[in-house]
């Protein structure tokens, strides 16, 4: 197992559009193990491969209280979205310390391969639905701050750059 480095906003690599996973092989299984360990260690509820600079369509999540129900989505596709949307408070491991509201579908249905390469259909609502939409955005190169106003986004960008400059000293 290995802890992976999570890219921090405004790293331009976060805007890379991920390609489909060609085969759920040993390399992908190792990546899943390492991404789960990295997500749990960072106390996140999700992590997209984009965030660890791997540009393939792979997401790991766990929204359970006990942190014992990992969910793996490989090559996820949204097949249904609810008519209703809500503003939800979101955070992001690539934008630490920043939380803000994003409008998301209340419920979604996603088709994907699981960690063993088996085709699954996942129906999600509440926090899991929000997390899936947030992580699928990462795979498209989109970070949640891009839903915020240019003013807020610029403030966040400057704050992150300052924090990274200070960390480097
Ligand atoms: O993708 C990521 O960076 C992980 C992110 C997922 C996420 C959290 C909240 C809403 C949507 C997506 C996080 O895990 S941020 C940290 C966190 O654990 C958290 C933050 C706010 C609410 C719940 C959890
Ligand atoms: Zn994120």
């Amino acid at each position: 197992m290995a802890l992976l480095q999570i890219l921090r906003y405004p790293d331009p690599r976060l805007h890379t559009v991920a390609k489909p996973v060609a085969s759920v092989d040993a390399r992908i299984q190792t990546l899943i193990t390492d991404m789960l360990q990295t997500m749990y260690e960072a106390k996140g509820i999700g992590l997209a491969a984009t965030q660890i600079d791997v540009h393939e369509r792979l997401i790991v999540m766990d929204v359970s209280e006990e942190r014992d129900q990992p969910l793996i989505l490989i090559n996820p596709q949204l097949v249904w979205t609810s008519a209703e949307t809500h503003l939800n408070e979101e955070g992001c491991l690539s934008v630490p310390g920043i939380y803000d509201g994003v409008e998301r579908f209340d419920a979604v249905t996603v088709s994907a391969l699981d960690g063993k390469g088996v085709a699954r259909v996942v129906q999600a609502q509440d926090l899991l639905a929000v997390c899936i939409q947030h992580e699928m955005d990462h795979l498209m190169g989109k970070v949640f701050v891009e839903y915020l106003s240019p003013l807020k986004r610029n403030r966040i960008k400057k704050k992150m750059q300052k924090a990274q400059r200070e960390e480097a000293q």
Side-chain angles (χ1 to χ4, degrees):
M1 288 208 281
L3 278 183
L4 307 167
Q5 196 186 339
I6 299 175
L7 298 178
R8 297 259 193 100
Y9 184 79
D11 191 311
R13 291 172 289 182
L14 284 168
H15 303 302
T16 310
V17 177
K19 295 189 166 65
V21 170
S23 156
V24 183
D25 54 16
R27 179 183 67 89
I28 293 293
Q29 310 275 359
T30 302
L31 192 56
I32 290 168
T33 305
D34 292 346
M35 284 176 64
L36 281 170
Q37 193 196 2
T38 303
M39 178 193 76
Y40 287 128
E41 204 273 337
K43 305 206 178 337
I45 56 169
L47 187 68
T50 308
Q51 293 175 278
I52 46 116
D53 202 22
V54 173
H55 302 288
E56 296 177 64
R57 291 182 60 80
L58 166 61
I59 293 167
V60 302
M61 287 170 286
D62 190 341
V63 298
S64 68
E65 287 279 321
E66 294 76 18
R67 315 283 283 151
D68 60 355
Q69 288 171 48
L71 177 65
I72 317 302
L73 298 181
I74 298 170
N75 298 337
Q77 301 284 351
L78 270 186
V79 294
W80 176 83
T81 57
S82 60
E84 302 77 24
T85 62
H86 265 97
L87 197 67
N88 300 277
E89 184 92 336
E90 296 192 14
C92 182
L93 297 176
S94 295
V95 198
I98 303 293
Y99 299 89
D100 215 320
V102 178
E103 193 85 22
R104 300 286 192 187
F105 299 113
D106 287 0
V108 297
T109 302
V110 181
S111 69
L113 302 179
D114 68 13
K116 292 184 174 142
V118 177
R120 305 273 179 204
V121 174
V122 177
Q123 291 177 315
Q125 56 190 9
D126 304 322
L127 184 57
L128 180 59
V130 172
C131 192
I132 287 174
Q133 291 170 77
H134 176 112
E135 303 308 335
M136 287 186 70
D137 271 355
H138 275 305
L139 299 181
M140 295 306 294
K142 188 160 185 169
V143 180
F144 88 105
V145 297
E146 289 168 61
Y147 289 103
L148 309 179
S149 70
L151 182 70
K152 270 191 181 178
R153 193 164 58 246
N154 265 321
R155 279 191 187 146
I156 293 167
K157 192 184 275 188
K158 290 211 166 76
K159 193 174 171 182
M160 292 293 123
Q161 286 168 330
K162 184 165 179 267
Q164 284 166 53
R165 271 199 309 274
E166 284 168 1
E167 263 176 40
Q169 281 174 1

